[in-house]
Amino acid sequence: MGPNASNYSWSKPDGSVRSRIDFLFTSPTVKPGRSSMVAVNFSDHRAVSFEGELTGKFPTGPGSWKMNCSLLENEELVANLRVAYVEWRDMRDLFHSAGEWCEWVKDRFRSFFQDASRAAAREKKRHFRQLQSKLQRLFELEPRGWDVDDELEETRKGLAEHFREESRKTVFRTRTENLEKDEKCNSFFFQKLHSAHAPLVELRDSEGNLIFDPFLC
């Protein structure tokens, strides 16, 4: 929190014991921004929230894209897609062949769902931040004698559902074939997810030769 400000990531409910036992470390290429402590519903520790700015250049390359099929459950989104497709269909005569038009439509479909996915992700993050902020306020009001038990329970349920959804995504990304009914996300799935990515230990030089770099290990 800075040399002139102190904060604690864990404390007893009555505040008699406080400890600064959780830390966050960053690369020198990250310019520090805002930082704060956030109450969480599943731990007696407070989360360390940090925002920083990348000062270097990080070029990105083309990646793969998979459609988020859950978007098809959004009736309003599907209705907008139907309207957009009518416009795309009416432009078919502007292309030299049906194949050329089809490729163009596929790009439109991808762009449509990519934009929808980004909007859905932004909304989910916004809702999560709102729940975290509300939980933080309620935790601050409770010691002052405010009756916030019902609101606390409702907020905890909302956060629990958020983390259950994130857990389901983690399990799905591990591509585990056999799962027990209602199996919960645990360290096994994270280990399997990480093990699927082989570490990069070699790079090609300007002449195309593979060069081993121990710093990549």
Side-chain angles (χ1 to χ4, degrees), residues 40-182:
V40 293
N41 72 315
F42 54 85
S43 174
D44 57 354
H45 290 239
R46 301 170 70 192
V48 182
S49 175
F50 171 81
E51 293 183 12
E53 178 183 353
L54 296 175
T55 58
K57 293 184 178 181
F58 301 87
T60 59
S64 59
W65 173 74
K66 292 183 179 179
M67 177 178 166
N68 181 4
C69 295
S70 64
L71 295 173
L72 297 175
E73 300 173 4
N74 187 328
E75 296 181 359
E76 181 180 357
L77 180 67
V78 172
N80 292 336
L81 176 62
R82 293 182 185 276
V83 173
Y85 179 73
V86 170
E87 297 179 358
W88 302 338
R89 184 187 60 192
D90 293 341
M91 300 181 67
R92 182 172 179 174
D93 294 339
L94 300 178
F95 293 84
H96 296 293
S97 65
E100 183 179 344
W101 171 81
C102 184
E103 291 298 320
W104 179 81
V105 169
K106 285 195 294 186
D107 287 339
R108 302 284 78 72
F109 264 106
R110 181 172 62 179
S111 297
F112 180 90
F113 282 104
Q114 283 178 334
D115 292 341
S117 295
R118 295 188 189 100
R122 287 194 298 268
E123 176 60 25
K124 184 174 293 185
K125 289 180 181 179
R126 185 190 65 81
H127 181 61
F128 175 67
R129 287 195 296 266
Q130 285 182 337
L131 288 174
Q132 285 282 33
S133 297
K134 184 177 181 180
L135 186 67
Q136 178 74 35
R137 293 195 301 271
L138 293 175
F139 268 114
E140 293 172 354
L141 292 174
E142 190 176 31
R144 301 176 185 177
W146 288 64
D147 184 10
V148 295
D149 291 344
D150 292 341
E151 289 187 84
L152 270 174
E153 183 62 23
E154 181 183 356
T155 306
R156 287 192 178 105
K157 287 181 179 179
L159 286 169
E161 177 57 33
H162 170 83
F163 289 114
R164 277 195 295 270
E165 177 64 24
E166 292 302 310
S167 296
R168 286 194 291 267
K169 291 179 181 178
T170 300
V171 173
F172 175 78
R173 290 198 299 269
T174 62
R175 300 181 180 179
T176 303
E177 297 180 0
N178 300 314
L179 297 173
E180 295 182 5
K181 183 179 180 181
D182 299 327

Side-chain angles (χ1 to χ4, degrees), residues 199-205 209-217:
L200 180 68
V201 296
E202 293 179 319
L203 293 175
R204 292 188 183 275
D205 59 17
N209 300 315
L210 284 172
I211 305 298
F212 175 77
D213 191 340
F215 291 103
L216 296 175
C217 298

